[in-house]
Coordinates of all heavy atoms in Angstrom, one line a residue:
M1 N 18.1 1.4 -34.8 CA 19.2 0.7 -34.3 C 19.9 1.5 -33.2 O 20.1 2.8 -33.4 CB 20.1 0.3 -35.4 CG 21.4 -0.3 -34.9 SD 22.7 -0.7 -36.2 CE 22.0 -2.3 -36.7
Q2 N 20.3 0.9 -32.1 CA 21.0 1.6 -31.1 C 22.4 1.2 -31.2 O 22.8 0.2 -31.8 CB 20.5 1.2 -29.7 CG 19.0 1.8 -29.6 CD 18.5 1.4 -28.1 OE1 19.1 0.6 -27.4 NE2 17.4 2.1 -27.8
V3 N 23.4 2.0 -30.6 CA 24.8 1.8 -30.7 C 25.2 0.4 -30.1 O 26.0 -0.3 -30.8 CB 25.7 2.9 -30.0 CG1 27.1 2.5 -29.9 CG2 25.5 4.2 -30.7
K4 N 24.4 0.0 -29.1 CA 24.7 -1.4 -28.5 C 24.4 -2.5 -29.5 O 24.9 -3.6 -29.3 CB 23.8 -1.5 -27.3 CG 22.4 -1.6 -27.5 CD 21.6 -1.9 -26.2 CE 20.2 -1.9 -26.3 NZ 19.7 -3.1 -27.1
D5 N 23.6 -2.2 -30.5 CA 23.3 -3.2 -31.5 C 24.3 -3.4 -32.7 O 24.1 -4.3 -33.5 CB 21.9 -3.0 -32.1 CG 20.8 -3.0 -31.0 OD1 20.9 -3.7 -30.0 OD2 19.9 -2.1 -31.1
I6 N 25.2 -2.5 -32.7 CA 26.3 -2.6 -33.8 C 27.1 -3.8 -33.6 O 27.7 -4.0 -32.6 CB 27.1 -1.3 -33.8 CG1 26.1 -0.1 -34.1 CG2 28.2 -1.5 -34.9 CD1 26.9 1.3 -34.0
E7 N 27.3 -4.6 -34.7 CA 28.1 -5.7 -34.7 C 29.5 -5.4 -35.4 O 29.6 -4.5 -36.1 CB 27.5 -6.9 -35.5 CG 26.1 -7.4 -35.0 CD 26.3 -8.1 -33.7 OE1 27.4 -8.7 -33.4 OE2 25.3 -8.0 -32.8
P8 N 30.6 -6.1 -35.0 CA 31.9 -5.7 -35.7 C 31.9 -5.7 -37.2 O 32.6 -4.9 -37.8 CB 32.8 -6.9 -35.2 CG 32.1 -7.4 -33.9 CD 30.6 -7.2 -34.1
A9 N 31.1 -6.5 -37.9 CA 31.1 -6.5 -39.3 C 30.2 -5.4 -39.9 O 30.1 -5.2 -41.1 CB 30.8 -7.9 -39.8
D10 N 29.5 -4.8 -39.1 CA 28.5 -3.7 -39.7 C 29.3 -2.6 -40.2 O 30.4 -2.2 -39.6 CB 27.6 -3.2 -38.5 CG 26.5 -4.2 -38.1 OD1 26.3 -5.1 -39.0 OD2 26.0 -4.1 -37.0
E11 N 28.8 -2.0 -41.2 CA 29.4 -0.8 -41.9 C 28.7 0.5 -41.3 O 27.5 0.6 -41.2 CB 29.1 -0.8 -43.3 CG 29.9 0.3 -44.2 CD 29.8 0.0 -45.6 OE1 30.2 -1.0 -46.1 OE2 29.4 1.0 -46.3
I12 N 29.6 1.4 -41.0 CA 28.9 2.8 -40.4 C 29.5 3.9 -41.4 O 30.5 3.9 -41.7 CB 29.6 3.0 -39.0 CG1 29.0 1.9 -38.1 CG2 29.1 4.3 -38.6 CD1 29.7 1.9 -36.7
T13 N 28.5 4.6 -41.8 CA 28.8 5.8 -42.6 C 28.7 7.1 -41.7 O 27.6 7.3 -41.1 CB 27.7 5.9 -43.9 OG1 27.8 4.7 -44.5 CG2 28.1 7.1 -44.7
T14 N 29.7 7.9 -41.8 CA 29.6 9.2 -41.1 C 29.3 10.3 -42.1 O 29.3 10.1 -43.3 CB 31.1 9.5 -40.5 OG1 31.9 9.6 -41.6 CG2 31.5 8.4 -39.6
I15 N 29.1 11.5 -41.6 CA 28.8 12.6 -42.5 C 30.0 12.9 -43.5 O 29.7 13.3 -44.7 CB 28.5 13.9 -41.7 CG1 28.0 15.0 -42.5 CG2 29.8 14.5 -40.9 CD1 26.6 14.8 -43.0
E16 N 31.2 12.6 -43.1 CA 32.4 12.7 -43.9 C 32.4 11.7 -45.1 O 32.8 12.0 -46.2 CB 33.7 12.6 -43.2 CG 33.9 13.8 -42.2 CD 33.3 13.5 -40.8 OE1 32.6 12.5 -40.6 OE2 33.4 14.5 -40.0
G17 N 31.8 10.6 -44.8 CA 31.8 9.5 -45.9 C 30.5 9.5 -46.7 O 30.5 8.7 -47.7
L18 N 29.6 10.3 -46.3 CA 28.3 10.3 -47.1 C 28.5 10.6 -48.6 O 27.9 9.9 -49.4 CB 27.3 11.4 -46.5 CG 25.9 11.3 -46.8 CD1 25.4 9.9 -46.5 CD2 25.1 12.3 -46.0
P19 N 29.3 11.5 -49.0 CA 29.4 11.7 -50.4 C 29.9 10.5 -51.2 O 29.5 10.3 -52.4 CB 30.5 12.9 -50.5 CG 30.3 13.6 -49.3 CD 30.1 12.6 -48.3
A20 N 30.9 9.7 -50.6 CA 31.4 8.6 -51.1 C 30.3 7.6 -51.5 O 30.4 6.7 -52.5 CB 32.5 7.9 -50.4
T21 N 29.1 7.5 -50.7 CA 28.1 6.6 -51.0 C 27.4 6.8 -52.4 O 26.7 6.0 -52.8 CB 27.0 6.7 -49.9 OG1 26.4 7.9 -49.8 CG2 27.7 6.3 -48.6
V22 N 27.6 8.0 -52.9 CA 27.0 8.4 -54.3 C 28.0 8.8 -55.3 O 27.6 9.2 -56.3 CB 26.0 9.5 -54.1 CG1 24.7 9.2 -53.3 CG2 26.5 10.8 -53.5
G23 N 29.3 8.7 -54.9 CA 30.4 8.9 -55.8 C 30.5 10.3 -56.2 O 30.9 10.6 -57.4
K24 N 30.1 11.3 -55.4 CA 30.1 12.8 -55.8 C 30.9 13.5 -54.7 O 31.1 13.0 -53.7 CB 28.7 13.2 -56.0 CG 28.0 12.5 -57.1 CD 26.6 13.1 -57.3 CE 25.9 12.5 -58.5 NZ 24.6 13.0 -58.7
D25 N 31.0 14.7 -55.0 CA 31.7 15.6 -53.9 C 30.7 15.9 -52.7 O 31.1 16.1 -51.6 CB 32.1 16.9 -54.5 CG 33.2 16.9 -55.5 OD1 34.0 15.9 -55.4 OD2 33.4 17.7 -56.3
L26 N 29.4 16.0 -53.0 CA 28.4 16.1 -52.1 C 27.2 15.1 -52.2 O 26.9 14.9 -53.4 CB 27.8 17.5 -52.0 CG 28.7 18.6 -51.5 CD1 28.0 20.0 -51.8 CD2 29.1 18.4 -50.1
H27 N 26.7 14.5 -51.2 CA 25.5 13.7 -51.3 C 24.4 14.7 -51.6 O 24.3 15.9 -51.2 CB 25.3 13.1 -49.9 CG 24.1 12.2 -49.9 ND1 22.8 12.6 -49.7 CD2 24.1 10.8 -50.0 CE1 22.0 11.5 -49.7 NE2 22.8 10.4 -49.9
P28 N 23.2 14.3 -52.3 CA 22.1 15.1 -52.6 C 21.5 15.8 -51.4 O 21.1 16.9 -51.5 CB 21.1 14.2 -53.4 CG 22.0 13.0 -53.8 CD 23.1 12.9 -52.9
M29 N 21.6 15.1 -50.3 CA 20.9 15.8 -49.2 C 21.9 16.9 -48.6 O 21.4 17.9 -48.2 CB 20.7 14.7 -48.0 CG 19.8 15.2 -46.9 SD 18.1 15.5 -47.5 CE 17.5 13.8 -47.7
Q30 N 23.2 16.7 -48.7 CA 24.1 17.8 -48.4 C 23.9 19.0 -49.3 O 23.9 20.2 -48.8 CB 25.5 17.3 -48.4 CG 25.9 16.3 -47.3 CD 27.1 15.7 -47.5 OE1 27.5 15.1 -48.5 NE2 28.1 15.7 -46.5
Q31 N 23.7 18.7 -50.5 CA 23.6 19.8 -51.5 C 22.3 20.5 -51.3 O 22.2 21.8 -51.3 CB 23.6 19.2 -52.9 CG 23.5 20.4 -54.0 CD 24.7 21.3 -54.0 OE1 25.9 20.8 -54.1 NE2 24.4 22.5 -53.9
A32 N 21.2 19.8 -50.9 CA 20.0 20.4 -50.6 C 20.1 21.2 -49.4 O 19.5 22.3 -49.3 CB 18.9 19.4 -50.4
W33 N 20.9 20.8 -48.5 CA 21.1 21.7 -47.2 C 21.8 23.0 -47.6 O 21.4 24.1 -47.0 CB 22.1 20.9 -46.2 CG 21.4 20.5 -44.9 CD1 21.7 21.1 -43.7 CD2 20.2 19.7 -44.6 NE1 20.9 20.6 -42.7 CE2 20.1 19.7 -43.3 CE3 19.5 18.9 -45.6 CZ2 19.1 18.9 -42.7 CZ3 18.6 18.0 -44.9 CH2 18.3 18.1 -43.6
L34 N 22.7 22.9 -48.5 CA 23.4 24.2 -48.9 C 22.4 25.0 -49.7 O 22.3 26.3 -49.5 CB 24.6 23.9 -49.8 CG 25.8 23.2 -49.1 CD1 26.9 22.8 -50.1 CD2 26.3 24.1 -48.0
D35 N 21.7 24.4 -50.6 CA 20.8 25.1 -51.5 C 19.7 25.9 -50.6 O 19.2 26.9 -51.0 CB 20.1 24.2 -52.5 CG 21.0 23.6 -53.5 OD1 22.1 24.1 -53.7 OD2 20.6 22.7 -54.2
H36 N 19.3 25.4 -49.5 CA 18.3 25.9 -48.7 C 18.8 26.6 -47.5 O 18.1 27.1 -46.6 CB 17.3 24.8 -48.2 CG 16.4 24.3 -49.2 ND1 16.8 23.4 -50.2 CD2 15.1 24.6 -49.5 CE1 15.8 23.1 -51.1 NE2 14.8 23.8 -50.7
D37 N 20.2 26.9 -47.5 CA 20.8 27.6 -46.5 C 20.3 27.2 -45.1 O 20.0 28.2 -44.3 CB 20.6 29.1 -46.7 CG 21.6 30.0 -46.1 OD1 22.7 29.5 -45.7 OD2 21.3 31.3 -45.9
V38 N 20.3 26.0 -44.8 CA 19.8 25.5 -43.6 C 20.6 25.9 -42.4 O 20.0 26.3 -41.3 CB 19.6 24.0 -43.6 CG1 19.1 23.4 -42.3 CG2 18.6 23.5 -44.8
S39 N 21.8 25.7 -42.3 CA 22.7 25.8 -41.1 C 22.6 27.3 -40.5 O 22.7 28.3 -41.3 CB 24.0 25.4 -41.3 OG 24.2 24.1 -41.7
Q40 N 22.6 27.3 -39.3 CA 23.0 28.6 -38.6 C 24.3 28.3 -37.8 O 25.3 28.5 -38.4 CB 21.8 28.9 -37.6 CG 20.6 29.5 -38.4 CD 19.6 30.2 -37.5 OE1 20.0 30.6 -36.4 NE2 18.4 30.4 -38.0
C41 N 24.4 27.8 -36.6 CA 25.6 27.6 -35.9 C 26.2 26.4 -36.5 O 27.5 26.2 -36.4 CB 25.3 27.6 -34.4 SG 24.8 25.9 -33.8
G42 N 25.4 25.4 -36.9 CA 25.9 24.2 -37.6 C 26.1 23.0 -36.6 O 26.4 21.9 -37.1
Y43 N 26.0 23.3 -35.3 CA 26.2 22.3 -34.3 C 25.5 21.0 -34.6 O 26.0 19.9 -34.5 CB 26.0 22.8 -32.9 CG 26.2 21.9 -31.8 CD1 27.5 21.6 -31.4 CD2 25.1 21.2 -31.3 CE1 27.7 20.7 -30.4 CE2 25.4 20.2 -30.3 CZ 26.6 20.0 -29.8 OH 26.9 19.1 -28.8
C44 N 24.2 21.1 -34.8 CA 23.3 19.9 -35.1 C 23.4 19.3 -36.5 O 22.7 18.3 -36.6 CB 22.0 20.2 -34.7 SG 21.1 21.2 -35.9
Q45 N 23.9 20.1 -37.3 CA 23.6 19.8 -38.8 C 24.1 18.4 -39.2 O 23.4 17.7 -40.1 CB 24.2 20.8 -39.7 CG 23.5 22.2 -39.4 CD 22.0 22.1 -39.6 OE1 21.5 21.7 -40.6 NE2 21.2 22.7 -38.6
P46 N 25.3 17.9 -38.8 CA 25.6 16.6 -39.4 C 24.7 15.5 -38.9 O 24.2 14.7 -39.7 CB 27.0 16.3 -38.7 CG 27.6 17.6 -38.5 CD 26.4 18.5 -38.2
G47 N 24.2 15.6 -37.7 CA 23.1 14.7 -37.2 C 21.8 14.8 -38.0 O 21.2 13.8 -38.3
Q48 N 21.5 16.0 -38.3 CA 20.2 16.3 -39.0 C 20.3 15.7 -40.4 O 19.3 15.1 -40.8 CB 20.0 17.9 -39.1 CG 19.9 18.6 -37.8 CD 18.5 18.4 -37.1 OE1 17.7 17.7 -37.4 NE2 18.4 19.1 -36.0
I49 N 21.4 15.9 -41.1 CA 21.5 15.4 -42.4 C 21.5 13.8 -42.4 O 20.9 13.2 -43.3 CB 22.8 15.9 -43.1 CG1 22.7 17.4 -43.3 CG2 23.1 15.1 -44.4 CD1 24.0 18.1 -43.8
M50 N 22.2 13.2 -41.5 CA 22.3 11.8 -41.4 C 20.9 11.3 -41.1 O 20.5 10.2 -41.7 CB 23.4 11.3 -40.3 CG 24.8 11.6 -40.7 SD 25.3 11.2 -42.4 CE 25.6 9.5 -42.1
A51 N 20.2 11.9 -40.2 CA 18.8 11.4 -39.9 C 17.9 11.6 -41.1 O 17.1 10.7 -41.4 CB 18.3 12.2 -38.7
A52 N 18.1 12.6 -41.9 CA 17.3 12.8 -43.1 C 17.5 11.7 -44.0 O 16.7 11.2 -44.6 CB 17.6 14.2 -43.7
V53 N 18.9 11.4 -44.3 CA 19.2 10.4 -45.2 C 18.6 9.0 -44.9 O 18.0 8.3 -45.6 CB 20.7 10.3 -45.5 CG1 21.1 9.1 -46.3 CG2 21.3 11.5 -46.1
A54 N 18.7 8.7 -43.6 CA 18.2 7.4 -43.0 C 16.6 7.4 -43.3 O 16.2 6.3 -43.5 CB 18.6 7.4 -41.6
K55 N 16.0 8.5 -43.0 CA 14.6 8.5 -43.1 C 14.2 8.3 -44.5 O 13.2 7.6 -44.8 CB 14.1 9.8 -42.5 CG 12.5 9.9 -42.3 CD 11.9 8.8 -41.7 CE 11.9 9.0 -40.2 NZ 11.3 7.8 -39.4
V56 N 14.9 8.9 -45.4 CA 14.5 8.8 -46.8 C 14.7 7.3 -47.3 O 13.9 6.8 -48.0 CB 15.2 9.8 -47.7 CG1 15.1 9.5 -49.2 CG2 14.7 11.3 -47.4
K57 N 15.9 6.8 -46.9 CA 16.2 5.5 -47.2 C 15.1 4.4 -46.8 O 14.8 3.5 -47.4 CB 17.6 5.1 -46.7 CG 18.8 5.6 -47.5 CD 20.1 5.2 -47.0 CE 21.2 5.6 -48.0 NZ 22.5 5.2 -47.5
Q58 N 14.6 4.7 -45.5 CA 13.7 3.9 -44.9 C 12.4 4.0 -45.7 O 11.8 2.9 -46.0 CB 13.4 4.3 -43.4 CG 12.3 3.6 -42.7 CD 12.1 4.2 -41.4 OE1 12.2 5.3 -41.1 NE2 11.7 3.3 -40.3
A59 N 12.0 5.1 -46.1 CA 10.8 5.3 -46.9 C 10.9 4.6 -48.2 O 10.1 3.8 -48.7 CB 10.4 6.7 -47.1
H60 N 12.1 4.7 -48.9 CA 12.3 4.1 -50.3 C 12.3 2.6 -50.1 O 11.8 1.8 -51.0 CB 13.6 4.5 -50.7 CG 13.6 6.0 -51.3 ND1 14.7 6.6 -51.8 CD2 12.6 6.9 -51.5 CE1 14.4 7.9 -52.2 NE2 13.2 8.0 -51.9
A61 N 12.9 2.0 -49.0 CA 12.9 0.6 -48.7 C 11.5 0.1 -48.5 O 11.3 -1.0 -48.8 CB 13.7 0.3 -47.6
E62 N 10.6 0.9 -48.1 CA 9.2 0.6 -47.9 C 8.4 0.8 -49.3 O 7.1 0.7 -49.3 CB 8.5 1.3 -46.7 CG 9.1 0.9 -45.4 CD 8.7 1.9 -44.3 OE1 7.9 2.9 -44.5 OE2 9.2 1.6 -43.2
G63 N 9.1 1.2 -50.3 CA 8.5 1.5 -51.6 C 7.6 2.8 -51.8 O 6.8 2.9 -52.5
R64 N 8.1 3.8 -51.0 CA 7.3 5.0 -51.0 C 8.2 6.3 -50.9 O 9.4 6.1 -50.6 CB 6.2 5.0 -49.9 CG 6.8 4.9 -48.5 CD 5.7 4.8 -47.5 NE 6.4 4.8 -46.2 CZ 6.9 5.8 -45.4 NH1 6.8 7.0 -46.1 NH2 7.4 5.6 -44.3
E65 N 7.6 7.4 -51.1 CA 8.4 8.6 -50.9 C 8.2 9.1 -49.5 O 7.2 8.6 -48.7 CB 7.9 9.7 -51.9 CG 8.2 9.4 -53.3 CD 9.8 9.1 -53.6 OE1 10.5 9.9 -53.1 OE2 10.1 8.2 -54.3
I66 N 9.0 10.1 -48.9 CA 8.8 10.6 -47.6 C 7.5 11.4 -47.5 O 7.1 12.1 -48.5 CB 10.0 11.4 -47.0 CG1 10.3 12.6 -48.0 CG2 11.2 10.5 -46.9 CD1 11.2 13.6 -47.3
T67 N 6.9 11.5 -46.3 CA 5.6 12.2 -46.2 C 6.0 13.2 -45.0 O 6.9 13.1 -44.3 CB 4.6 11.4 -45.8 OG1 4.8 10.7 -44.5 CG2 4.3 10.3 -46.9
D68 N 5.0 14.1 -44.8 CA 5.1 15.0 -43.6 C 5.1 14.2 -42.4 O 5.7 14.6 -41.4 CB 3.9 15.9 -43.6 CG 4.1 17.1 -44.6 OD1 5.3 17.5 -45.0 OD2 3.2 17.7 -45.1
A69 N 4.4 13.1 -42.3 CA 4.5 12.2 -41.1 C 5.9 11.8 -40.8 O 6.3 11.7 -39.7 CB 3.5 11.0 -41.2
D70 N 6.6 11.4 -41.8 CA 8.1 10.9 -41.7 C 8.8 12.1 -41.1 O 9.6 11.9 -40.2 CB 8.7 10.6 -43.1 CG 8.1 9.3 -43.6 OD1 7.9 8.3 -42.8 OD2 7.7 9.3 -44.8
L71 N 8.7 13.4 -41.7 CA 9.4 14.5 -41.1 C 9.0 14.8 -39.7 O 9.9 15.1 -38.9 CB 9.0 15.7 -42.0 CG 9.3 15.6 -43.4 CD1 8.9 16.9 -44.2 CD2 10.9 15.4 -43.7
D72 N 7.8 14.5 -39.3 CA 7.3 14.7 -37.9 C 8.0 13.7 -37.0 O 8.1 14.0 -35.7 CB 5.9 14.5 -37.8 CG 5.1 15.7 -38.5 OD1 5.6 16.7 -38.7 OD2 3.9 15.5 -38.7
E73 N 8.5 12.6 -37.5 CA 9.1 11.6 -36.6 C 10.6 11.9 -36.3 O 11.1 11.3 -35.3 CB 9.1 10.2 -37.4 CG 7.7 9.6 -37.5 CD 7.7 8.2 -38.2 OE1 8.8 7.8 -38.7 OE2 6.6 7.7 -38.4
L74 N 11.2 12.8 -37.0 CA 12.6 13.1 -36.7 C 12.6 13.8 -35.3 O 11.8 14.8 -35.0 CB 13.1 14.1 -37.8 CG 13.3 13.3 -39.1 CD1 13.9 14.4 -40.1 CD2 14.3 12.2 -39.0
R75 N 13.5 13.4 -34.4 CA 13.6 14.0 -33.1 C 14.8 14.8 -32.9 O 15.2 15.1 -31.6 CB 13.4 12.8 -32.1 CG 11.9 12.3 -32.1 CD 10.9 13.3 -31.6 NE 9.6 12.8 -31.5 CZ 8.7 13.2 -32.4 NH1 9.0 14.1 -33.4 NH2 7.4 12.8 -32.4
N76 N 15.7 15.0 -33.8 CA 16.9 15.7 -33.6 C 16.6 17.2 -33.2 O 15.8 17.7 -33.7 CB 17.8 15.7 -34.8 CG 18.3 14.3 -35.2 OD1 17.5 13.4 -35.3 ND2 19.5 14.3 -35.6
I77 N 17.4 17.6 -32.2 CA 17.1 18.9 -31.6 C 18.1 20.0 -32.4 O 19.2 19.7 -32.6 CB 17.3 19.0 -30.1 CG1 16.4 18.0 -29.4 CG2 17.1 20.4 -29.5 CD1 15.0 18.3 -29.4
C78 N 17.4 21.1 -32.7 CA 18.2 22.2 -33.3 C 18.0 23.4 -32.3 O 16.9 24.0 -32.4 CB 17.8 22.5 -34.7 SG 18.7 23.9 -35.3
R79 N 19.0 23.8 -31.6 CA 18.8 25.0 -30.8 C 18.6 26.2 -31.5 O 18.2 27.2 -30.9 CB 19.9 25.0 -29.7 CG 21.3 25.4 -30.3 CD 22.4 25.3 -29.3 NE 23.6 25.5 -29.9 CZ 24.8 25.3 -29.5 NH1 24.9 24.9 -28.2 NH2 25.9 25.5 -30.1
C80 N 19.0 26.3 -32.7 CA 18.8 27.4 -33.6 C 17.5 27.6 -34.3 O 17.2 28.5 -34.8 CB 19.9 27.6 -34.7 SG 21.6 27.7 -34.0
G81 N 16.7 26.5 -34.1 CA 15.4 26.5 -34.7 C 15.3 26.5 -36.1 O 14.4 27.2 -36.7
T82 N 16.0 25.7 -36.9 CA 16.1 25.6 -38.3 C 15.1 24.7 -38.9 O 15.2 24.3 -40.0 CB 17.5 25.3 -38.9 OG1 17.9 24.0 -38.4 CG2 18.5 26.4 -38.3
Y83 N 14.1 24.2 -38.1 CA 13.2 23.2 -38.5 C 12.5 23.4 -39.8 O 12.4 22.4 -40.6 CB 12.3 22.9 -37.4 CG 12.9 22.5 -36.1 CD1 12.9 23.3 -34.9 CD2 13.6 21.3 -36.0 CE1 13.5 23.0 -33.8 CE2 14.2 20.9 -34.8 CZ 14.2 21.8 -33.8 OH 14.7 21.4 -32.6
S84 N 12.1 24.6 -40.2 CA 11.3 24.8 -41.3 C 12.3 24.5 -42.5 O 11.9 23.9 -43.5 CB 10.7 26.1 -41.4 OG 11.6 27.1 -41.3
R85 N 13.4 25.1 -42.5 CA 14.4 24.9 -43.6 C 14.9 23.5 -43.6 O 15.1 23.0 -44.7 CB 15.7 25.8 -43.4 CG 15.2 27.3 -43.6 CD 16.4 28.2 -43.8 NE 17.5 28.1 -42.8 CZ 17.6 28.9 -41.8 NH1 16.7 29.8 -41.6 NH2 18.6 28.8 -40.9
I86 N 15.0 22.7 -42.5 CA 15.4 21.3 -42.5 C 14.3 20.6 -43.3 O 14.6 19.7 -44.2 CB 15.5 20.8 -41.1 CG1 16.8 21.3 -40.6 CG2 15.4 19.2 -41.1 CD1 16.9 20.9 -39.0
R87 N 13.1 20.9 -43.1 CA 11.9 20.1 -43.7 C 12.0 20.3 -45.2 O 11.8 19.4 -46.0 CB 10.6 20.5 -43.1 CG 10.4 20.1 -41.7 CD 9.2 20.6 -41.1 NE 8.0 19.8 -41.6 CZ 7.4 18.8 -40.9 NH1 7.9 18.3 -39.8 NH2 6.3 18.2 -41.5
E88 N 12.2 21.6 -45.6 CA 12.3 21.9 -47.1 C 13.5 21.3 -47.7 O 13.3 20.7 -48.8 CB 12.2 23.4 -47.3 CG 11.0 24.1 -46.8 CD 9.8 23.6 -47.5 OE1 9.8 23.3 -48.8 OE2 8.8 23.2 -46.8
A89 N 14.6 21.3 -47.0 CA 15.8 20.7 -47.6 C 15.6 19.2 -47.7 O 16.1 18.5 -48.6 CB 17.0 21.1 -46.8
M90 N 15.1 18.6 -46.7 CA 14.9 17.2 -46.7 C 13.9 16.7 -47.9 O 14.3 15.7 -48.6 CB 14.3 16.7 -45.4 CG 14.2 15.3 -45.2 SD 13.8 14.9 -43.5 CE 13.5 13.2 -43.7
K91 N 12.9 17.5 -48.1 CA 12.0 17.1 -49.3 C 12.8 17.3 -50.6 O 12.7 16.4 -51.4 CB 10.8 18.1 -49.3 CG 9.9 17.7 -48.2 CD 8.7 18.9 -48.2 CE 7.8 18.7 -47.0 NZ 6.7 19.8 -46.9
A92 N 13.6 18.3 -50.7 CA 14.4 18.5 -51.9 C 15.5 17.5 -52.1 O 15.7 17.0 -53.2 CB 15.1 19.9 -52.0
G93 N 16.1 17.2 -51.1 CA 17.2 16.2 -51.1 C 16.6 14.8 -51.5 O 17.3 14.0 -52.2
A94 N 15.5 14.5 -50.9 CA 14.8 13.2 -51.2 C 14.6 13.0 -52.6 O 14.5 11.9 -53.1 CB 13.6 13.1 -50.3
E95 N 14.2 14.1 -53.3 CA 13.9 14.0 -54.8 C 15.1 13.6 -55.6 O 14.9 13.0 -56.7 CB 13.4 15.4 -55.3 CG 12.1 15.8 -54.8 CD 11.7 17.2 -55.2 OE1 12.5 17.8 -56.0 OE2 10.6 17.7 -54.7
D96 N 16.3 13.8 -55.1 CA 17.5 13.4 -55.8 C 18.1 12.2 -55.4 O 19.2 11.7 -55.8 CB 18.4 14.6 -55.9 CG 18.0 15.8 -56.5 OD1 17.2 15.7 -57.5 OD2 18.3 16.9 -56.1
M97 N 17.6 11.6 -54.4 CA 18.1 10.2 -53.8 C 17.5 9.1 -54.5 O 16.3 9.1 -55.0 CB 17.9 10.1 -52.4 CG 18.7 11.0 -51.5 SD 18.4 10.9 -49.7 CE 18.7 9.2 -49.4
Ligands
FES101 FE1 22.6 25.6 -34.5 FE2 21.0 23.5 -35.3 S1 22.0 25.0 -36.5 S2 21.9 23.9 -33.3

């Protein structure tokens, strides 16, 4: 979905609102990010986490778990090069979603 496709009645979840979607202090994906010490400068991390959650939800909606092919589809840029930790955290976070 692109921003231009958002309708007035659509609900938007931000990184700050993500924990409320699971009724906890942290969403499982946020906890996985901490457990895997993913962040360096942190600039890209909210977008990385939101993309990871969306990708896992997409896979679950299709009745399956995420695969390496799903991880390869993520196009968020991290100038610090945290990609290997992102992949590990995403797999771990997906297990608790
Ligand atoms: Fe620095 Fe991703 S953690 S840009």
Side-chain angles (χ1 to χ4, degrees):
M1 173 182 275
Q2 296 183 343
V3 171
K4 69 177 178 65
D5 300 324
I6 296 171
E7 298 291 333
D10 287 342
E11 184 174 307
I12 297 173
T13 302
T14 64
I15 190 76
E16 293 84 1
L18 196 56
T21 65
V22 293
K24 297 182 177 177
D25 291 338
L26 289 176
H27 186 277
M29 196 63 74
Q30 292 172 306
Q31 186 61 55
W33 243 247
L34 291 175
D35 293 345
H36 287 78
D37 199 21
V38 174
S39 294
Q40 285 195 17
C41 79
Y43 180 78
C44 74
Q45 298 302 312
Q48 302 283 6
I49 292 170
M50 296 307 288
V53 170
K55 183 58 74 178
V56 172
K57 284 184 175 180
Q58 180 185 32
H60 287 176
E62 295 170 0
R64 59 183 181 80
E65 298 300 321
I66 58 165
T67 64
D68 283 334
D70 293 311
L71 301 177
D72 291 343
E73 290 177 3
L74 294 175
R75 291 292 179 257
N76 293 50
I77 302 295
C78 175
R79 65 187 177 187
C80 296
T82 64
Y83 299 110
S84 60
R85 294 199 303 271
I86 287 171
R87 293 175 76 95
E88 293 306 311
M90 191 171 164
K91 290 176 186 174
E95 290 177 6
D96 295 329
M97 285 179 58

